Amino acid sequence: ELGQASGDIARVVSVPFIPPSSLSLSDRQSVLRGLQLIANTVIQTAELDPLMQRPTRYYLGTDARRHPFQNDQVYQSWYDALISPRVLSRSEMMSIPFGDAVTYRPGERVRFETDTQTYVVSEPRSLRTLPQDQSGLSWTWQRGVEELDGTVRGAYRAMSEPVTSAN
């Protein structure tokens, strides 16, 4: 609320608050231009996350939303550790609405703590089971199997057919 003086009497004028999440795409893009940001950029907070004791990193999507990385391993599946994200203040960060969390990069192998099955991320947010017999697969794995907390299972969609070299 803003106060406006009218003679000796102060009037209170109500200014509507529009949360960033309800902004249109063009309005969100305007916010990014004002911050001199472009899509497909990695940004991070200037302050440390109080629980993680590290800055929080986000992918700035073409939808002009900030998509949080679930953890450092997810970030490292997409980006080299040498890449320096653009650092934003808390108020700058708060002006950009949230999007869905970033999941592991396609091609990564993952396993949930509560499940013995190993999966391959086949496309963003999709998992295919990895067959026990991998003789038909011609992949060479660069990383080990990432262990996931069961709470992030909802971020992925399980596909019905197992992974093959074709899919």
Side-chain angles (χ1 to χ4, degrees):
E1 296 182 340
L2 299 175
Q4 287 185 337
S6 174
D8 293 322
I9 301 172
R11 279 187 326 166
V12 175
V13 178
S14 200
V15 177
F17 172 72
I18 301 173
S21 60
S22 64
L23 296 175
S24 69
L25 176 59
S26 62
D27 288 340
R28 292 191 311 265
Q29 290 170 334
S30 178
V31 168
L32 297 185
R33 280 191 300 276
L35 295 172
Q36 298 179 343
L37 293 169
I38 59 171
N40 300 319
T41 301
V42 178
I43 57 177
Q44 76 177 31
T45 56
E47 300 84 14
L48 295 180
D49 180 294
L51 296 174
M52 308 297 274
Q53 291 301 307
R54 64 169 173 77
T56 304
R57 292 186 195 110
Y58 300 90
Y59 169 75
L60 194 53
T62 56
D63 60 355
R65 294 181 184 274
R66 59 184 161 125
H67 300 270
F69 289 93
Q70 295 172 333
N71 56 42
D72 285 337
Q73 290 78 18
V74 171
Y75 174 78
Q76 290 166 3
S77 76
W78 288 95
Y79 296 100
D80 187 330
L82 299 176
I83 290 181
S84 298
R86 167 99 183 266
V87 177
L88 300 180
S89 70
R90 182 182 302 258
S91 63
E92 290 172 324
M93 195 67 77
M94 295 301 290
S95 67
I96 306 170
F98 272 108
D100 294 332
V102 178
T103 56
Y104 277 94
R105 185 179 189 147
E108 297 290 332
R109 294 179 298 165
V110 298
R111 178 181 300 136
F112 294 97
E113 293 174 343
T114 57
D115 188 351
T116 58
Q117 182 65 50
T118 300
Y119 299 90
V120 173
V121 180
S122 60
E123 55 191 69
R125 311 182 84 67
S126 298
L127 299 175
R128 294 186 188 272
T129 56
L130 185 63
Q132 296 297 324
D133 176 21
Q134 298 178 24
S135 59
L137 299 176
S138 59
W139 294 337
T140 56
W141 304 106
Q142 305 226 348
R143 296 164 40 118
V145 177
E146 297 293 337
E147 192 79 23
L148 300 178
D149 184 293
T151 60
V152 299
R153 189 175 204 124
Y156 293 92
R157 177 181 46 159
M159 306 302 281
S160 57
E161 68 246 14
V163 71
T164 66
S165 294
N167 62 11

